[in-house]
Amino acid sequence: MITKELDLVRINKEQPLLLTDSRSLTDPDRSLFFALVTAHNDGHRYITDLYNKGVRQFVIQHDFVGMDVIPDAICYRVENTLKALQEIAAYHRQLFNIPIIGITGSNGKTIVKEWLYQLLHDRKSIVRSPRSYNSQTGVPLSVWQLNKETELGIFEAGISLPGEMERLQKIVQPTIGIFTTLGEAHQENFLSREEKCLEKLSLFESSDTIIYNEDQDLVKYCIEKNGWTNKAFSWSQKNTEANIYISQIEKNVDHTLISLEKNNVRIKIPFTDEASIEDAIHCLVLLLYLFPEEQFEHRFEKLDPVAMRLDVSKGVLNNMLINDTYNSDINSLSIALDFMSRRSVDKSQKQVLILSDILQSGMVPAAFYRKVAELVTQKGVEHIIGIGPNLMSHSNLFAMEKEFYPNTESYLQSGRWRNLKDSIILIKGSRKFRFEQISERLEEKAHQTVLEVDLDAVIYNLKHFKSLLRPETKIICMVKAFGYGVGSYELAKTLQERGADYLAVALVDEGVELRREGITMPIMIMNLEEHAFNLLFEYNLEPEIYNMKMLEAIIRETERRGILNYPIHIKLDTGMNRLGFSKEEIINLAQTINSQTGVSVKSVFRI
């Protein structure tokens, strides 16, 4: 192992792929792996595995097991690997003298970013945060994408603790800021809402302009307290003297009309919920600021919904599931309830909410859960299932059909989830409650087979085939149909431990199941369907693409989500006339792939 100091100039010149998650490895030769140390994991434990897959450059902060078996690896030793990642990105940002839009707030950051991209991508070369990469790790990975062709950068930044935004500000250095909303998320980590607001606003320390809704009194106060009124570009539905005055908002069945009387602007958006209206106005105000003389109203009619964490799936017993098991605060709960209301087309379906304790309120529990109960009642929930000690303690506040449990395990053990039928069910919980255990039981399953198998025989066969191949040749093992009925997890775990390079499954839900069971190796999906894109990206699954329709669909989706170089596998038809690109399609296939940045080809194979 060769140990060196981290040279920001040289690293920036070489432009490696920055890697922080070993499961996201796509190009070993170009990857620089940062062994991040967190409260729950340590990236150093994955270094030898990445070395065996071809990675040769690592940023480390301490010794690790296997240092003596990676002789030609280059390790840059630093005091803190996360800080090193941020410093590299901050140095890289300084090389670009272009407009950079920084977005922060409690809600709406990702949607505003994605809609700005939809509105502007045909007129400027834009780099933006992939998906919701707004954390201490996600922001530097996003900014690292800036390149010599970039004309505009759009990056979101989120925080949960005091002091975090200062580090992100040095990385993003936005010239234009957008403050979306100030909600309750992470409030327990701040002494007051004012402290949290000022912390978020510090992203715009060096910005020329700050776009915000001045009807949010506290945000307006904090901007004035910072002495930034000279760079504020505000909008309002109340103050006619704001930079942009929203004179009318007219909701219709499937669209909303937003009028700006003194600017002589009227836009139509294909959404009617309050959150989408506010997000669209932020985008509108930015376009008015950047292009005051241009007409762009027609662009808003074509805005696409942004895929967030609200996954919709079919459940057992004629249920529809809306799965939001990522986080839980009152603002996102309101958005999710609005979403459920819009999806509730069949009025015979009961609206059911499965809700965990909300851990980020910063309010006195009694007052906070009274607010939650009022919201749930207002949104038309007919049956609430509350999970967590705080919800149990305040169950009397909820007037609808109700049941409460101290934890997820007690609810599952009760068996009451089997009684849910003919309902639209919103599953909304904080991560610690592991609500995925509930959704897995309520989802409709397509496969179920049981068989005993000799894993020793599988290991013997794998070794035998490897002995017949050159050392550099990789092996992909087919475990579709949940391991052909032999138990996908046990089989996959064995293959992963014994040196297989890839797994292949038929359907996305099979790959998801393997990921949830801890399988980290690359997984190929043989039959991709468009409705499964959310899970595909969330669980880092790699699809096989065999026709132009699916190729164009996944390219559109990666561009919509801000994903770059997502790995795909191309299947060619060389004579069997089944699935795969034909000889006549090759030129069009190559041109399509070369004209975009959303996907990259990991392998090509034929049948």
Side-chain angles (χ1 to χ4, degrees), residues 243-262:
N243 296 97
I244 301 295
Y245 172 58
I246 310 299
S247 57
Q248 185 178 19
I249 295 177
E250 179 186 337
K251 292 184 182 181
N252 294 280
V253 175
D254 59 355
H255 68 274
T256 301
L257 299 174
I258 303 172
S259 301
L260 286 64
E261 189 172 311
K262 66 181 180 181

Side-chain angles (χ1 to χ4, degrees), residues 217 291 398 446 542 564:
D217 294 333
F291 313 107
F398 296 85
E542 302 181 13
L564 295 176

Side-chain angles (χ1 to χ4, degrees), residues 434-492:
R434 299 194 63 195
F435 271 14
E436 65 271 12
Q437 298 177 77
I438 299 175
S439 59
E440 286 169 0
R441 285 164 171 79
L442 295 177
E443 285 176 346
E444 189 172 73
K445 300 295 191 302
H447 310 282
Q448 188 172 1
T449 310
V450 177
L451 184 69
E452 291 186 4
V453 68
D454 185 349
L455 291 177
D456 289 335
V458 173
I459 296 169
Y460 175 84
N461 290 338
L462 178 62
K463 288 182 177 179
H464 176 71
F465 282 114
K466 290 187 74 171
S467 70
L468 301 177
L469 301 172
R470 291 177 295 182
E472 65 270 20
T473 302
K474 297 183 182 298
I475 292 180
I476 182 168
C477 299
M478 186 68 66
V479 292
K480 68 178 183 177
F482 290 106
Y484 296 98
V486 305
S488 57
Y489 166 63
E490 293 81 2
L491 185 59

Side-chain angles (χ1 to χ4, degrees), residues 145-174:
Q145 298 176 75
L146 291 170
N147 58 70
K148 61 182 180 181
E149 284 82 30
T150 306
E151 297 174 296
L152 175 67
I154 309 176
F155 303 112
E156 55 177 296
I159 59 167
S160 57
L161 294 168
E164 288 186 333
M165 193 60 88
E166 180 182 0
R167 297 194 290 271
L168 299 186
Q169 193 279 331
K170 293 177 181 177
I171 300 169
V172 180
Q173 299 175 49

Side-chain angles (χ1 to χ4, degrees), residues 214-215 220 236-242 244-246 262:
E214 73 168 51
D215 295 341
K220 181 179 181 181
S236 173
Q237 297 181 65
K238 302 175 181 177
N239 181 13
T240 59
E241 300 304 314
I244 301 295
Y245 172 58
I246 310 299
K262 66 181 180 181

